[in-house]
Amino acid sequence: MKLGLSSYSLVRALRSGEMDILGVIDWIVEHGGEHVEIVPLGFSLVDNPELIDAIREKAAAVGIDVSNYAIGANFIKDTQEEYEAEIERVKREVDIASRLGVKRMRHDVASRKDTSIARFHEDLEKLAAACRQIADYAAQYGIVTSMENHGYYIQASDRVQALIHAVDRDNFRTTLDVGNFLCVDEDPVSAVKKNIAYASMVHIKDFYRRPSDRNPGTGWFQTASGNYLRGAIVGNGDIEMRQVLSVIKQSGYDGYVSIEFEGMEECKTGAKLGLENVRRLWDEV
């Protein structure tokens, strides 16, 4: 297991100008991280292509890996032309991933207001066809593409598996976010047990959870069933993190693990404590 940080964890510092992405890499090294996951929020690699080489070279210079490149995408489009254009856009992002030197890339797949299982089954083959084209394109670079349990529509473990099997490519898997299952009210421990075998990348995220009849107020958002969540420092929230990490460790997963902090605390503090907690819990389980 290689423990590191998603750059998303420090997005507030990136957006405020307190840090730049090269400074994020330095920060990760200073706090014992072994890799950086690049999420282009707070900076753009499309608009600033010179940053691509700078990130790769910086990581190499300080001795950590660039583990994964994670971008947004949505293949639910009104027209065939828009659908094809989105596939081509994501392929250009695969080119960026190759230039970064990564062998893993996550792209989102779909979001809809209608998140019903009936709608999912209607959309499945078209979504799989898009992911299949991108995985085939990425294969020339030796890149494994993946989708995350993300965005309500394809977030439950069974829907993730359904898409993976429909795509039917060895280099298409899942970026498994242990916390995101709560957004569709699925128990993280059970969901991780179901999907860890399909993981190309693991995100460790924590949430505080409150039932639907106890609105805690500002800073919370609702799950698919109306329960309330708020981002937490990993290890401080309501997810049974010790059990989750035990499942991952016992599965034999030995790849990259990224801390994703999105709590209300100051981002550097939240990220630092999350790294410390996961390192400690991993050694204990």
Side-chain angles (χ1 to χ4, degrees), residues 15-240:
R15 284 175 169 160
S16 72
E18 177 187 353
M19 303 174 79
D20 62 17
I21 187 58
L22 303 183
V24 166
I25 294 171
D26 280 330
W27 189 95
I28 292 170
V29 174
E30 290 166 11
H31 292 86
E34 299 172 276
H35 69 89
V36 57
E37 180 180 13
I38 300 298
V39 183
L41 296 173
F43 61 98
S44 170
L45 299 184
V46 173
D47 298 329
N48 300 283
E50 68 280 358
L51 268 181
I52 303 169
D53 296 331
I55 289 168
R56 187 189 67 249
E57 292 164 4
K58 177 70 171 181
V62 298
I64 67 171
D65 298 341
V66 183
S67 56
N68 192 44
Y69 181 49
I71 65 156
N74 186 2
F75 302 115
I76 301 295
K77 300 296 182 184
D78 292 332
T79 68
Q80 182 67 18
E81 290 75 15
E82 290 173 317
Y83 169 79
E84 292 173 0
E86 181 71 341
I87 292 170
E88 291 306 310
R89 183 189 69 82
V90 175
K91 287 180 180 178
R92 301 290 76 76
E93 295 277 16
V94 172
D95 295 336
I96 290 175
S98 175
R99 191 167 154 190
L100 280 170
V102 303
K103 295 301 179 183
R104 293 164 182 79
M105 175 182 159
R106 182 218 81 186
H107 59 80
D108 286 328
V109 175
S111 62
R112 269 195 185 280
K113 289 184 178 180
D114 178 1
T115 60
S116 67
I117 189 66
R119 174 61 76 179
F120 171 72
H121 283 303
E122 289 176 8
D123 286 337
L124 180 56
E125 180 46 42
K126 192 162 190 178
L127 298 177
C131 295
R132 200 177 296 127
Q133 287 186 54
I134 293 160
D136 288 346
Y137 183 81
Q140 67 179 308
Y141 298 123
I143 291 174
V144 174
T145 57
S146 67
M147 57 84 62
E148 188 169 345
N149 48 311
H150 201 205
Y152 293 91
Y153 191 38
I154 313 181
Q155 197 149 9
S157 58
D158 286 348
R159 295 194 189 190
V160 170
Q161 285 192 36
L163 181 62
I164 291 170
H165 289 301
V167 173
D168 192 26
R169 290 294 187 270
D170 290 341
N171 69 321
F172 182 75
R173 299 175 68 78
T174 183
T175 290
L176 190 157
D177 187 304
V178 307
N180 280 349
F181 294 111
L182 274 182
C183 299
V184 286
D185 304 282
E186 188 172 10
D187 171 58
V189 177
S190 299
V192 171
K193 285 180 180 179
K194 290 169 70 173
N195 276 19
I196 187 61
Y198 301 95
S200 61
M201 185 83 189
V202 172
H203 287 172
I204 305 294
K205 181 189 295 173
D206 209 347
F207 285 116
Y208 298 109
R209 182 183 183 278
R210 298 293 182 271
S212 59
D213 61 348
R214 300 180 195 175
N215 184 349
T218 301
W220 298 71
F221 67 95
Q222 288 186 280
T223 69
S225 296
N227 295 306
Y228 290 92
L229 299 178
R230 176 163 76 82
I233 294 170
V234 175
N236 287 184
D238 293 325
I239 292 176
E240 295 292 344

Side-chain angles (χ1 to χ4, degrees), residues 221-263:
F221 67 95
Q222 288 186 280
T223 69
S225 296
N227 295 306
Y228 290 92
L229 299 178
R230 176 163 76 82
I233 294 170
V234 175
N236 287 184
D238 293 325
I239 292 176
E240 295 292 344
M241 197 59 67
R242 186 182 297 272
Q243 285 183 259
V244 165
L245 292 173
S246 178
V247 169
I248 296 168
K249 192 171 186 178
Q250 295 306 314
S251 77
Y253 177 83
D254 195 31
Y256 294 110
V257 172
S258 269
I259 301 296
E260 262 201 350
F261 169 71
E262 56 182 39

